[in-house]
Coordinates of all heavy atoms in Angstrom, one line a residue:
M1096 N -0.8 -1.9 7.8 CA -2.1 -2.4 7.6 C -2.7 -2.5 9.1 O -2.1 -3.1 9.9 CB -2.2 -3.7 6.9 CG -3.6 -4.3 6.9 SD -3.8 -5.8 5.9 CE -2.8 -7.0 6.7
T1097 N -3.9 -2.0 9.2 CA -4.6 -2.2 10.5 C -5.5 -3.4 10.5 O -6.2 -3.7 9.5 CB -5.6 -1.0 10.7 OG1 -4.8 0.2 10.5 CG2 -6.2 -1.0 12.0
I1098 N -5.4 -4.2 11.5 CA -6.2 -5.4 11.6 C -7.1 -5.4 12.8 O -6.7 -5.1 13.9 CB -5.3 -6.7 11.7 CG1 -4.4 -6.8 10.5 CG2 -6.1 -7.9 11.9 CD1 -3.3 -7.8 10.6
N1099 N -8.4 -5.5 12.6 CA -9.4 -5.5 13.7 C -10.1 -6.9 13.7 O -10.6 -7.4 12.7 CB -10.5 -4.5 13.4 CG -11.5 -4.4 14.5 OD1 -11.3 -4.8 15.6 ND2 -12.6 -3.8 14.2
I1100 N -10.0 -7.6 14.9 CA -10.5 -8.9 15.0 C -11.6 -9.0 16.0 O -11.5 -8.4 17.1 CB -9.4 -9.9 15.5 CG1 -8.2 -9.8 14.5 CG2 -9.9 -11.3 15.6 CD1 -6.9 -10.6 14.9
Q1101 N -12.7 -9.6 15.6 CA -13.9 -9.7 16.5 C -14.3 -11.2 16.7 O -14.1 -12.0 15.7 CB -15.1 -9.0 15.9 CG -15.0 -7.6 15.7 CD -16.2 -7.0 15.0 OE1 -17.3 -7.4 15.2 NE2 -16.0 -5.9 14.3
Y1102 N -14.8 -11.5 17.8 CA -15.2 -12.9 18.1 C -16.7 -12.9 18.4 O -17.1 -12.1 19.3 CB -14.5 -13.5 19.3 CG -13.0 -13.7 19.0 CD1 -12.1 -12.7 19.2 CD2 -12.5 -14.9 18.5 CE1 -10.7 -12.9 18.9 CE2 -11.2 -15.1 18.2 CZ -10.3 -14.1 18.4 OH -9.0 -14.3 18.1
I1103 N -17.5 -13.7 17.8 CA -18.9 -13.8 18.0 C -19.3 -15.2 18.5 O -18.9 -16.2 17.9 CB -19.7 -13.5 16.7 CG1 -19.4 -12.1 16.2 CG2 -21.2 -13.7 16.9 CD1 -19.9 -11.7 14.9
H1104 N -20.0 -15.3 19.6 CA -20.4 -16.5 20.2 C -19.3 -17.4 20.7 O -19.3 -18.6 20.7 CB -21.3 -17.3 19.3 CG -22.6 -16.6 18.9 ND1 -23.5 -16.1 19.7 CD2 -23.0 -16.2 17.6 CE1 -24.4 -15.5 19.1 NE2 -24.2 -15.5 17.8
M1105 N -18.2 -16.7 21.1 CA -17.0 -17.5 21.6 C -16.1 -16.5 22.3 O -16.2 -15.3 22.2 CB -16.2 -18.1 20.4 CG -15.7 -17.1 19.4 SD -14.8 -17.9 18.0 CE -13.3 -18.3 18.8
S1106 N -15.1 -17.1 23.1 CA -14.2 -16.2 23.8 C -13.0 -15.9 22.9 O -12.7 -16.6 21.9 CB -13.7 -16.9 25.1 OG -13.1 -18.1 24.7
T1107 N -12.3 -14.8 23.2 CA -11.2 -14.3 22.4 C -10.0 -15.3 22.6 O -9.9 -16.0 23.6 CB -10.7 -12.9 22.7 OG1 -10.4 -12.9 24.1 CG2 -11.8 -11.9 22.5
S1108 N -9.2 -15.4 21.5 CA -8.1 -16.3 21.6 C -6.8 -15.6 21.1 O -6.8 -15.1 19.9 CB -8.4 -17.5 20.7 OG -7.2 -18.2 20.4
E1109 N -5.8 -15.5 21.9 CA -4.5 -14.9 21.5 C -3.9 -15.7 20.4 O -3.3 -15.1 19.5 CB -3.6 -14.8 22.7 CG -3.9 -13.6 23.6 CD -3.8 -12.2 22.9 OE1 -2.9 -12.0 22.1 OE2 -4.7 -11.4 23.0
A1110 N -4.0 -17.0 20.5 CA -3.4 -17.9 19.5 C -4.0 -17.6 18.1 O -3.3 -17.5 17.1 CB -3.5 -19.3 19.9
M1111 N -5.3 -17.5 18.1 CA -6.0 -17.2 16.8 C -5.6 -15.8 16.3 O -5.4 -15.6 15.1 CB -7.5 -17.3 16.9 CG -8.0 -18.8 16.9 SD -7.3 -19.8 15.5 CE -7.9 -18.9 14.1
N1112 N -5.5 -14.8 17.2 CA -5.1 -13.5 16.9 C -3.8 -13.5 16.2 O -3.6 -12.9 15.1 CB -5.0 -12.5 18.1 CG -6.4 -12.1 18.6 OD1 -7.4 -12.4 18.0 ND2 -6.4 -11.5 19.7
E1113 N -2.8 -14.2 16.8 CA -1.5 -14.3 16.2 C -1.5 -15.0 14.9 O -0.8 -14.6 13.9 CB -0.5 -15.0 17.2 CG -0.2 -14.1 18.5 CD 0.5 -14.9 19.5 OE1 1.1 -16.0 19.2 OE2 0.6 -14.4 20.7
H1114 N -2.2 -16.1 14.8 CA -2.3 -16.9 13.6 C -2.8 -16.0 12.4 O -2.2 -16.0 11.3 CB -3.1 -18.1 13.8 CG -3.3 -19.0 12.6 ND1 -2.3 -19.7 12.1 CD2 -4.4 -19.2 11.8 CE1 -2.7 -20.4 11.1 NE2 -4.0 -20.1 10.9
V1115 N -4.0 -15.4 12.6 CA -4.5 -14.6 11.5 C -3.7 -13.4 11.2 O -3.6 -13.0 10.0 CB -6.0 -14.3 11.8 CG1 -6.2 -13.2 12.8 CG2 -6.8 -14.0 10.5
T1116 N -3.1 -12.8 12.2 CA -2.3 -11.6 12.0 C -1.1 -11.9 11.1 O -0.7 -11.2 10.2 CB -1.9 -10.9 13.3 OG1 -3.1 -10.6 14.0 CG2 -1.0 -9.7 13.1
A1117 N -0.5 -13.1 11.4 CA 0.7 -13.5 10.7 C 0.3 -13.7 9.2 O 1.1 -13.3 8.3 CB 1.3 -14.8 11.3
K1118 N -0.8 -14.4 9.0 CA -1.2 -14.7 7.6 C -1.6 -13.4 6.9 O -1.2 -13.3 5.7 CB -2.5 -15.6 7.6 CG -2.2 -17.0 8.2 CD -1.6 -17.9 7.2 CE -1.6 -19.3 7.7 NZ -0.9 -20.2 6.8
L1119 N -2.2 -12.5 7.5 CA -2.6 -11.2 6.9 C -1.4 -10.3 6.6 O -1.3 -9.7 5.6 CB -3.6 -10.5 7.7 CG -5.0 -11.1 7.6 CD1 -5.9 -10.4 8.7 CD2 -5.6 -10.9 6.3
N1120 N -0.4 -10.4 7.5 CA 0.8 -9.6 7.3 C 1.6 -10.1 6.1 O 2.2 -9.3 5.4 CB 1.7 -9.6 8.6 CG 1.1 -8.6 9.6 OD1 0.4 -7.6 9.3 ND2 1.4 -8.9 10.9
K1121 N 1.6 -11.4 5.9 CA 2.2 -12.0 4.8 C 1.6 -11.5 3.5 O 2.2 -11.2 2.5 CB 2.1 -13.6 4.9 CG 3.4 -14.3 4.5 CD 3.2 -15.8 4.5 CE 3.7 -16.3 5.8 NZ 3.8 -17.8 5.8
L1122 N 0.2 -11.5 3.5 CA -0.5 -11.0 2.4 C -0.2 -9.5 2.1 O -0.1 -9.1 1.0 CB -2.0 -11.2 2.7 CG -3.0 -11.4 1.5 CD1 -2.6 -12.6 0.7 CD2 -4.4 -11.6 2.1
A1123 N -0.1 -8.7 3.2 CA 0.2 -7.3 3.0 C 1.6 -7.0 2.4 O 1.8 -6.0 1.8 CB 0.0 -6.6 4.4
L1124 N 2.5 -8.0 2.6 CA 3.8 -7.8 2.0 C 3.7 -7.9 0.5 O 4.4 -7.2 -0.2 CB 4.8 -8.8 2.6 CG 5.3 -8.6 4.1 CD1 6.1 -9.8 4.5 CD2 6.0 -7.3 4.2
K1125 N 2.9 -8.8 0.1 CA 2.7 -9.0 -1.4 C 1.9 -7.9 -2.0 O 2.2 -7.5 -3.1 CB 1.9 -10.3 -1.6 CG 2.8 -11.6 -1.7 CD 1.8 -12.7 -2.2 CE 2.6 -14.0 -2.2 NZ 1.7 -15.1 -2.6
Y1126 N 0.9 -7.5 -1.3 CA 0.0 -6.4 -1.8 C 0.0 -5.2 -0.9 O -0.8 -5.1 0.0 CB -1.4 -7.0 -1.9 CG -1.5 -8.3 -2.7 CD1 -1.5 -9.5 -2.1 CD2 -1.5 -8.2 -4.1 CE1 -1.5 -10.7 -2.9 CE2 -1.5 -9.4 -4.9 CZ -1.5 -10.6 -4.3 OH -1.6 -11.7 -5.0
D1127 N 1.0 -4.4 -1.1 CA 1.2 -3.3 -0.1 C 0.1 -2.2 -0.2 O 0.1 -1.3 0.7 CB 2.6 -2.7 -0.3 CG 2.8 -2.1 -1.7 OD1 1.9 -2.3 -2.6 OD2 3.9 -1.5 -1.9
W1128 N -0.8 -2.3 -1.1 CA -1.9 -1.3 -1.1 C -3.1 -1.7 -0.3 O -4.1 -1.0 -0.3 CB -2.3 -1.1 -2.6 CG -2.2 -2.3 -3.5 CD1 -1.1 -2.7 -4.2 CD2 -3.3 -3.2 -3.7 NE1 -1.5 -3.9 -4.9 CE2 -2.8 -4.2 -4.6 CE3 -4.6 -3.3 -3.3 CZ2 -3.5 -5.2 -5.1 CZ3 -5.4 -4.4 -3.8 CH2 -4.8 -5.3 -4.7
I1129 N -3.0 -2.8 0.5 CA -4.1 -3.1 1.4 C -4.1 -2.2 2.6 O -3.0 -1.9 3.2 CB -4.0 -4.6 1.9 CG1 -4.1 -5.6 0.7 CG2 -5.0 -4.9 2.9 CD1 -3.8 -7.0 1.1
I1130 N -5.2 -1.5 2.9 CA -5.3 -0.5 3.9 C -5.6 -1.2 5.3 O -4.9 -0.9 6.3 CB -6.3 0.5 3.6 CG1 -6.0 1.2 2.3 CG2 -6.5 1.5 4.7 CD1 -7.1 2.0 1.7
S1131 N -6.6 -2.0 5.4 CA -7.0 -2.6 6.6 C -7.7 -3.9 6.4 O -8.2 -4.2 5.3 CB -7.8 -1.6 7.5 OG -9.1 -1.4 6.8
A1132 N -7.9 -4.6 7.5 CA -8.6 -5.9 7.5 C -9.5 -6.0 8.7 O -9.2 -5.7 9.8 CB -7.6 -7.1 7.5
E1133 N -10.8 -6.4 8.4 CA -11.8 -6.7 9.4 C -11.9 -8.2 9.5 O -12.3 -8.8 8.5 CB -13.1 -6.1 9.1 CG -13.1 -4.6 9.2 CD -13.1 -4.0 10.6 OE1 -13.7 -4.7 11.5 OE2 -12.5 -2.9 10.8
V1134 N -11.6 -8.8 10.6 CA -11.7 -10.3 10.7 C -12.8 -10.6 11.8 O -12.8 -10.0 12.8 CB -10.4 -10.9 11.2 CG1 -10.5 -12.4 11.3 CG2 -9.2 -10.5 10.3
I1135 N -13.7 -11.6 11.4 CA -14.7 -12.0 12.3 C -14.6 -13.5 12.4 O -14.7 -14.2 11.4 CB -16.1 -11.6 11.9 CG1 -16.2 -10.1 11.8 CG2 -17.2 -12.2 12.8 CD1 -17.5 -9.6 11.2
F1136 N -14.5 -14.0 13.7 CA -14.5 -15.4 14.0 C -15.9 -15.7 14.6 O -16.3 -15.0 15.5 CB -13.4 -15.9 14.9 CG -12.1 -15.9 14.3 CD1 -11.1 -14.9 14.7 CD2 -11.8 -16.8 13.3 CE1 -9.9 -15.0 14.1 CE2 -10.5 -16.8 12.8 CZ -9.5 -15.9 13.1
E1137 N -16.5 -16.7 14.2 CA -17.9 -17.0 14.7 C -18.0 -18.5 14.8 O -17.5 -19.3 14.0 CB -18.9 -16.5 13.7 CG -20.3 -16.5 14.1 CD -21.2 -15.8 13.2 OE1 -20.8 -15.1 12.2 OE2 -22.4 -15.9 13.4
T1138 N -18.8 -19.0 15.8 CA -19.1 -20.4 16.0 C -20.6 -20.5 15.9 O -21.4 -19.8 16.5 CB -18.7 -20.8 17.5 OG1 -17.3 -20.6 17.6 CG2 -19.0 -22.3 17.7
I1139 N -21.0 -21.5 15.1 CA -22.4 -21.9 14.9 C -22.6 -23.3 15.5 O -21.9 -24.2 15.1 CB -22.8 -21.9 13.4 CG1 -22.7 -20.5 12.9 CG2 -24.2 -22.5 13.3 CD1 -23.1 -20.3 11.4
Q1140 N -23.4 -23.3 16.4 CA -23.7 -24.6 17.1 C -25.2 -24.8 17.0 O -26.0 -24.1 17.6 CB -23.3 -24.7 18.5 CG -21.8 -24.5 18.6 CD -21.3 -24.4 20.1 OE1 -22.1 -24.0 20.9 NE2 -20.1 -24.8 20.3
N1141 N -25.6 -25.8 16.3 CA -27.0 -26.2 16.3 C -27.1 -27.7 16.2 O -26.1 -28.4 16.1 CB -27.8 -25.5 15.2 CG -27.3 -25.8 13.8 OD1 -26.9 -26.9 13.5 ND2 -27.5 -24.9 12.9
E1142 N -28.3 -28.3 16.1 CA -28.4 -29.7 16.2 C -27.8 -30.4 14.9 O -27.3 -31.5 15.0 CB -29.9 -30.1 16.3 CG -30.5 -29.6 17.6 CD -32.0 -29.5 17.5 OE1 -32.6 -29.8 16.4 OE2 -32.6 -29.0 18.4
K1143 N -27.9 -29.7 13.8 CA -27.4 -30.3 12.5 C -25.9 -30.2 12.3 O -25.3 -31.0 11.6 CB -28.2 -29.7 11.4 CG -29.6 -30.0 11.4 CD -30.3 -29.4 10.2 CE -31.8 -29.7 10.3 NZ -32.6 -28.9 9.3
E1144 N -25.3 -29.1 12.8 CA -23.9 -28.9 12.4 C -23.2 -28.1 13.5 O -23.8 -27.3 14.2 CB -23.8 -28.2 11.1 CG -24.5 -26.8 11.1 CD -24.5 -26.2 9.7 OE1 -23.7 -26.6 8.8 OE2 -25.3 -25.3 9.5
D1145 N -21.9 -28.2 13.6 CA -21.0 -27.4 14.3 C -20.1 -26.7 13.3 O -19.4 -27.4 12.5 CB -20.1 -28.1 15.3 CG -20.9 -28.6 16.5 OD1 -22.0 -28.0 16.8 OD2 -20.5 -29.5 17.3
G1146 N -20.0 -25.4 13.3 CA -19.2 -24.7 12.2 C -18.4 -23.7 12.8 O -18.7 -22.9 13.7
K1147 N -17.2 -23.6 12.3 CA -16.2 -22.5 12.6 C -16.1 -21.6 11.4 O -15.7 -22.1 10.3 CB -14.8 -23.1 13.0 CG -14.8 -24.3 13.9 CD -15.2 -23.9 15.3 CE -15.0 -25.1 16.2 NZ -16.0 -25.3 17.1
I1148 N -16.5 -20.4 11.6 CA -16.6 -19.4 10.5 C -15.5 -18.4 10.6 O -15.3 -17.8 11.7 CB -18.0 -18.8 10.4 CG1 -19.0 -19.9 10.1 CG2 -18.0 -17.8 9.3 CD1 -20.4 -19.4 10.2
C1149 N -14.8 -18.1 9.5 CA -13.9 -17.0 9.5 C -14.3 -16.1 8.3 O -14.4 -16.5 7.2 CB -12.5 -17.5 9.2 SG -11.3 -16.2 9.0
K1150 N -14.6 -14.8 8.6 CA -14.9 -13.8 7.6 C -13.9 -12.7 7.6 O -13.5 -12.2 8.7 CB -16.3 -13.2 7.9 CG -17.4 -14.1 8.0 CD -18.7 -13.4 8.4 CE -19.8 -14.3 8.7 NZ -21.0 -13.7 9.1
I1151 N -13.4 -12.4 6.5 CA -12.4 -11.3 6.4 C -12.8 -10.3 5.3 O -13.1 -10.8 4.2 CB -10.9 -11.8 6.1 CG1 -10.5 -12.8 7.2 CG2 -9.9 -10.7 6.0 CD1 -9.2 -13.5 6.9
E1152 N -12.7 -9.1 5.6 CA -13.0 -8.0 4.6 C -11.8 -7.1 4.6 O -11.3 -6.6 5.6 CB -14.2 -7.2 5.1 CG -14.6 -6.1 4.1 CD -15.9 -5.4 4.5 OE1 -17.0 -6.0 4.4 OE2 -15.8 -4.2 4.9
L1153 N -11.3 -6.9 3.4 CA -10.1 -6.0 3.2 C -10.5 -4.7 2.6 O -11.3 -4.6 1.7 CB -9.1 -6.7 2.3 CG -8.5 -8.0 2.7 CD1 -7.6 -8.6 1.6 CD2 -7.8 -7.9 4.0
S1154 N -9.9 -3.6 3.1 CA -10.1 -2.3 2.5 C -8.8 -2.1 1.6 O -7.7 -2.2 2.1 CB -10.1 -1.2 3.6 OG -11.3 -1.4 4.3
A1155 N -9.1 -1.7 0.4 CA -8.1 -1.4 -0.6 C -8.6 -0.5 -1.6 O -9.9 -0.2 -1.6 CB -7.6 -2.7 -1.2
P1156 N -7.8 0.1 -2.5 CA -8.4 1.0 -3.5 C -9.4 0.2 -4.3 O -9.2 -1.0 -4.6 CB -7.2 1.3 -4.4 CG -6.0 1.1 -3.4 CD -6.4 0.0 -2.5
G1157 N -10.5 0.9 -4.6 CA -11.6 0.2 -5.3 C -12.6 -0.4 -4.2 O -12.5 -0.1 -3.1
P1158 N -13.5 -1.3 -4.7 CA -14.5 -1.9 -3.8 C -13.8 -2.8 -2.8 O -12.7 -3.3 -3.0 CB -15.3 -2.8 -4.7 CG -15.0 -2.3 -6.1 CD -13.7 -1.7 -6.1
R1159 N -14.4 -3.0 -1.6 CA -13.8 -3.8 -0.6 C -13.8 -5.3 -1.1 O -14.6 -5.7 -1.9 CB -14.7 -3.7 0.7 CG -14.5 -2.4 1.4 CD -15.4 -2.4 2.6 NE -15.2 -1.1 3.2 CZ -14.6 -0.9 4.4 NH1 -14.3 -2.0 5.1 NH2 -14.5 0.3 5.0
I1160 N -12.8 -6.0 -0.5 CA -12.7 -7.4 -0.9 C -13.1 -8.3 0.3 O -12.7 -8.0 1.4 CB -11.2 -7.7 -1.3 CG1 -10.8 -6.9 -2.5 CG2 -11.0 -9.2 -1.5 CD1 -9.3 -6.9 -2.8
F1161 N -14.0 -9.2 0.0 CA -14.6 -10.0 1.1 C -14.5 -11.5 0.8 O -14.7 -11.9 -0.3 CB -16.0 -9.6 1.4 CG -16.7 -10.5 2.4 CD1 -16.5 -10.2 3.8 CD2 -17.5 -11.5 2.1 CE1 -17.1 -10.9 4.8 CE2 -18.1 -12.3 3.1 CZ -17.9 -12.0 4.4
A1162 N -14.2 -12.3 1.8 CA -14.2 -13.8 1.7 C -14.6 -14.3 3.1 O -14.3 -13.8 4.1 CB -12.9 -14.3 1.2
S1163 N -15.2 -15.5 3.0 CA -15.5 -16.2 4.3 C -15.5 -17.7 4.0 O -15.7 -18.1 2.8 CB -16.8 -15.7 4.9 OG -17.9 -16.4 4.4
S1164 N -15.3 -18.5 5.0 CA -15.4 -19.9 4.9 C -15.8 -20.5 6.2 O -15.6 -20.0 7.3 CB -14.1 -20.5 4.4 OG -13.1 -20.2 5.2
K1165 N -16.5 -21.7 6.1 CA -17.0 -22.4 7.3 C -16.4 -23.8 7.2 O -16.5 -24.5 6.2 CB -18.5 -22.5 7.2 CG -19.1 -23.2 8.4 CD -20.6 -23.0 8.4 CE -21.2 -24.4 8.2 NZ -22.7 -24.4 8.1
E1166 N -15.6 -24.1 8.2 CA -14.9 -25.4 8.3 C -15.1 -26.0 9.7 O -15.7 -25.4 10.5 CB -13.4 -25.2 8.0 CG -13.1 -24.5 6.6 CD -13.5 -25.4 5.5 OE1 -13.6 -26.7 5.6 OE2 -13.7 -24.9 4.4
R1167 N -14.4 -27.1 9.9 CA -14.5 -27.8 11.2 C -13.5 -27.2 12.2 O -13.7 -27.4 13.4 CB -14.4 -29.3 11.1 CG -13.2 -29.8 10.3 CD -13.2 -31.3 10.3 NE -12.2 -31.9 9.5 CZ -11.0 -31.6 9.2 NH1 -10.5 -30.5 9.7 NH2 -10.2 -32.2 8.5
T1168 N -12.4 -26.5 11.7 CA -11.5 -25.9 12.6 C -11.3 -24.4 12.1 O -11.4 -24.1 10.9 CB -10.1 -26.6 12.6 OG1 -9.5 -26.4 11.3 CG2 -10.2 -28.1 12.9
Y1169 N -10.9 -23.6 13.0 CA -10.6 -22.2 12.7 C -9.4 -22.0 11.8 O -9.4 -21.2 10.9 CB -10.5 -21.3 13.9 CG -11.8 -21.1 14.6 CD1 -12.0 -21.6 15.9 CD2 -12.7 -20.3 14.1 CE1 -13.2 -21.4 16.5 CE2 -13.9 -20.0 14.7 CZ -14.2 -20.6 15.9 OH -15.4 -20.4 16.5
E1170 N -8.4 -22.9 12.0 CA -7.2 -22.8 11.2 C -7.5 -23.0 9.7 O -7.0 -22.4 8.9 CB -6.1 -23.8 11.7 CG -5.5 -23.4 13.1 CD -6.4 -23.8 14.3 OE1 -7.4 -24.4 14.1 OE2 -6.0 -23.3 15.4
L1171 N -8.3 -24.1 9.5 CA -8.7 -24.4 8.1 C -9.5 -23.3 7.5 O -9.4 -22.9 6.4 CB -9.5 -25.7 8.1 CG -9.6 -26.5 6.8 CD1 -8.3 -26.7 6.2 CD2 -10.3 -27.8 7.1
A1172 N -10.4 -22.7 8.3 CA -11.3 -21.6 7.8 C -10.4 -20.4 7.5 O -10.6 -19.8 6.4 CB -12.3 -21.3 8.9
V1173 N -9.4 -20.1 8.3 CA -8.5 -19.0 8.0 C -7.8 -19.2 6.7 O -7.7 -18.4 5.8 CB -7.5 -18.7 9.2 CG1 -6.4 -17.8 8.8 CG2 -8.3 -18.2 10.4
R1174 N -7.2 -20.4 6.6 CA -6.4 -20.8 5.4 C -7.3 -20.6 4.1 O -6.9 -20.0 3.1 CB -5.9 -22.2 5.5 CG -5.0 -22.5 4.3 CD -4.4 -23.9 4.3 NE -4.2 -24.5 5.6 CZ -4.5 -25.7 5.9 NH1 -4.9 -26.6 4.9 NH2 -4.3 -26.2 7.1
N1175 N -8.5 -21.2 4.1 CA -9.4 -21.1 2.9 C -9.8 -19.7 2.6 O -9.8 -19.3 1.5 CB -10.6 -22.0 3.1 CG -10.2 -23.5 3.1 OD1 -9.2 -23.8 2.6 ND2 -11.1 -24.3 3.6
T1176 N -10.1 -18.9 3.7 CA -10.5 -17.5 3.5 C -9.3 -16.7 2.9 O -9.5 -15.9 2.0 CB -11.0 -16.9 4.8 OG1 -12.0 -17.7 5.3 CG2 -11.5 -15.5 4.6
I1177 N -8.1 -16.9 3.4 CA -6.9 -16.1 2.9 C -6.7 -16.5 1.5 O -6.4 -15.7 0.6 CB -5.7 -16.4 3.8 CG1 -5.9 -15.9 5.2 CG2 -4.4 -15.9 3.2 CD1 -5.6 -14.4 5.4
N1178 N -6.8 -17.8 1.1 CA -6.6 -18.3 -0.2 C -7.6 -17.6 -1.2 O -7.3 -17.2 -2.3 CB -6.8 -19.8 -0.4 CG -5.6 -20.5 0.2 OD1 -4.5 -19.9 0.4 ND2 -5.7 -21.8 0.5
D1179 N -8.9 -17.5 -0.7 CA -9.9 -16.8 -1.5 C -9.6 -15.3 -1.7 O -9.7 -14.8 -2.8 CB -11.3 -16.9 -0.9 CG -11.9 -18.3 -0.9 OD1 -11.3 -19.2 -1.7 OD2 -12.9 -18.6 -0.2
L1180 N -9.1 -14.7 -0.6 CA -8.7 -13.3 -0.7 C -7.6 -13.1 -1.7 O -7.6 -12.1 -2.5 CB -8.4 -12.7 0.7 CG -9.5 -12.6 1.7 CD1 -8.9 -12.2 3.0 CD2 -10.5 -11.5 1.2
E1181 N -6.6 -14.0 -1.6 CA -5.4 -13.9 -2.5 C -5.8 -14.0 -4.0 O -5.3 -13.3 -4.8 CB -4.4 -14.9 -2.1 CG -3.1 -14.7 -2.9 CD -1.9 -15.2 -2.2 OE1 -2.0 -16.1 -1.3 OE2 -0.8 -14.7 -2.5
T1182 N -6.8 -14.9 -4.3 CA -7.3 -15.0 -5.6 C -7.9 -13.7 -6.1 O -7.6 -13.2 -7.2 CB -8.3 -16.1 -5.7 OG1 -7.7 -17.3 -5.3 CG2 -8.9 -16.3 -7.1
Q1183 N -8.7 -13.1 -5.2 CA -9.3 -11.8 -5.6 C -8.3 -10.7 -5.7 O -8.4 -9.8 -6.6 CB -10.4 -11.4 -4.5 CG -11.6 -12.3 -4.5 CD -12.5 -11.9 -3.4 OE1 -13.0 -10.8 -3.4 NE2 -12.9 -12.9 -2.5
L1184 N -7.3 -10.7 -4.8 CA -6.2 -9.7 -4.9 C -5.4 -9.8 -6.2 O -5.1 -8.8 -6.8 CB -5.3 -9.8 -3.7 CG -5.9 -9.3 -2.4 CD1 -5.1 -9.8 -1.2 CD2 -6.1 -7.8 -2.3
K1185 N -5.2 -11.0 -6.6 CA -4.4 -11.2 -7.9 C -5.2 -10.6 -9.0 O -4.7 -10.0 -9.9 CB -4.2 -12.7 -8.1 CG -3.0 -13.3 -7.3 CD -2.9 -14.7 -7.6 CE -1.9 -15.3 -6.6 NZ -1.8 -16.8 -6.7
K1186 N -6.5 -10.9 -9.1 CA -7.4 -10.3 -10.1 C -7.4 -8.8 -10.1 O -7.3 -8.2 -11.1 CB -8.8 -10.9 -10.0 CG -9.0 -12.3 -10.4 CD -10.4 -12.7 -10.2 CE -10.6 -14.2 -10.4 NZ -11.9 -14.7 -10.1
R1187 N -7.5 -8.3 -8.9 CA -7.5 -6.8 -8.7 C -6.2 -6.2 -9.2 O -6.2 -5.2 -9.9 CB -7.8 -6.4 -7.3 CG -7.6 -5.0 -6.9 CD -8.8 -4.1 -6.8 NE -10.0 -4.6 -6.4 CZ -10.7 -4.3 -5.3 NH1 -10.1 -3.5 -4.4 NH2 -11.9 -4.8 -5.0
K1188 N -5.1 -6.8 -8.8 CA -3.8 -6.3 -9.2 C -3.6 -6.4 -10.7 O -3.2 -5.5 -11.4 CB -2.7 -7.2 -8.6 CG -1.3 -6.7 -8.8 CD -0.3 -7.5 -8.0 CE 1.1 -7.0 -8.2 NZ 2.1 -7.7 -7.4
H1189 N -4.1 -7.5 -11.3 CA -4.1 -7.6 -12.8 C -4.9 -6.6 -13.5 O -4.5 -6.0 -14.5 CB -4.5 -9.0 -13.2 CG -4.5 -9.3 -14.6 ND1 -3.3 -9.5 -15.3 CD2 -5.5 -9.4 -15.5 CE1 -3.6 -9.7 -16.6 NE2 -4.9 -9.7 -16.8
T1190 N -6.1 -6.3 -12.9 CA -7.0 -5.3 -13.5 C -6.4 -3.9 -13.4 O -6.4 -3.2 -14.4 CB -8.3 -5.3 -12.7 OG1 -8.9 -6.6 -12.8 CG2 -9.3 -4.3 -13.2
Y1191 N -5.8 -3.5 -12.3 CA -5.2 -2.2 -12.2 C -3.9 -2.0 -12.9 O -3.6 -1.0 -13.4 CB -5.0 -1.8 -10.7 CG -6.3 -1.4 -10.0 CD1 -6.8 -2.1 -8.9 CD2 -7.1 -0.4 -10.5 CE1 -8.0 -1.8 -8.3 CE2 -8.3 0.0 -9.9 CZ -8.7 -0.7 -8.8 OH -9.9 -0.4 -8.2
A1192 N -3.2 -3.1 -13.1 CA -1.9 -3.1 -13.8 C -2.2 -2.9 -15.3 O -1.4 -2.2 -16.0 CB -1.2 -4.4 -13.6
N1193 N -3.3 -3.4 -15.8 CA -3.6 -3.2 -17.2 C -4.5 -2.0 -17.6 O -4.8 -1.8 -18.7 CB -4.4 -4.5 -17.7 CG -3.5 -5.7 -17.7 OD1 -2.3 -5.6 -17.8 ND2 -4.1 -6.9 -17.5
S1194 N -4.8 -1.2 -16.6 CA -5.7 0.0 -16.9 C -4.8 1.2 -16.9 O -3.7 1.3 -16.6 CB -6.8 0.1 -15.9 OG -6.4 0.1 -14.6

């Protein structure tokens, strides 16, 4: 699986690269039909809120799978996004297994 990571409004982080790569590789072991992942980390800073956003889009057979979450830390955002992706992957696997 190919993983492309982008950072918006923040500097790149090797630790975050390793963290998200490890999580996605674990997902790819379960679902070996995942082709690639596009990961975007973004920071939103305004007067009302500080947000850490993680967006992940997976390429797989069928429509692309997308999830994102906004949390107070990137680690939490990655965990929630991966959990959302896994839920969608389970549904997709179930759909293709029954067709």
Side-chain angles (χ1 to χ4, degrees):
M1096 173 174 65
T1097 307
I1098 300 172
N1099 183 18
I1100 302 172
Q1101 298 177 31
Y1102 293 88
I1103 300 174
H1104 303 300
M1105 61 180 285
S1106 58
T1107 59
S1108 165
E1109 279 303 314
M1111 282 310 301
N1112 285 354
E1113 291 173 16
H1114 179 70
V1115 75
T1116 300
K1118 296 278 188 187
L1119 286 170
N1120 284 334
K1121 222 184 262 190
L1122 208 57
L1124 288 175
K1125 274 187 181 176
Y1126 305 98
D1127 59 353
W1128 36 271
I1129 298 173
I1130 300 165
S1131 66
E1133 293 285 329
V1134 181
I1135 298 173
F1136 288 111
E1137 191 173 350
T1138 301
I1139 293 182
Q1140 296 175 334
N1141 61 32
E1142 296 158 6
K1143 295 180 182 170
E1144 61 187 340
D1145 284 342
K1147 313 291 190 226
I1148 299 174
C1149 175
K1150 301 175 186 177
I1151 301 177
E1152 183 178 288
L1153 298 177
S1154 292
R1159 290 179 179 243
I1160 297 171
F1161 177 80
S1163 87
S1164 55
K1165 182 172 114 181
E1166 301 294 339
R1167 54 180 171 35
T1168 67
Y1169 287 110
E1170 291 79 7
L1171 197 54
V1173 168
R1174 183 178 336 138
N1175 290 343
T1176 304
I1177 297 278
N1178 287 342
D1179 290 348
L1180 289 172
E1181 189 153 20
T1182 301
Q1183 293 180 54
L1184 287 165
K1185 283 178 188 172
K1186 287 180 186 174
R1187 168 102 30 116
K1188 186 176 184 178
H1189 181 71
T1190 301
Y1191 284 119
N1193 292 334
S1194 56

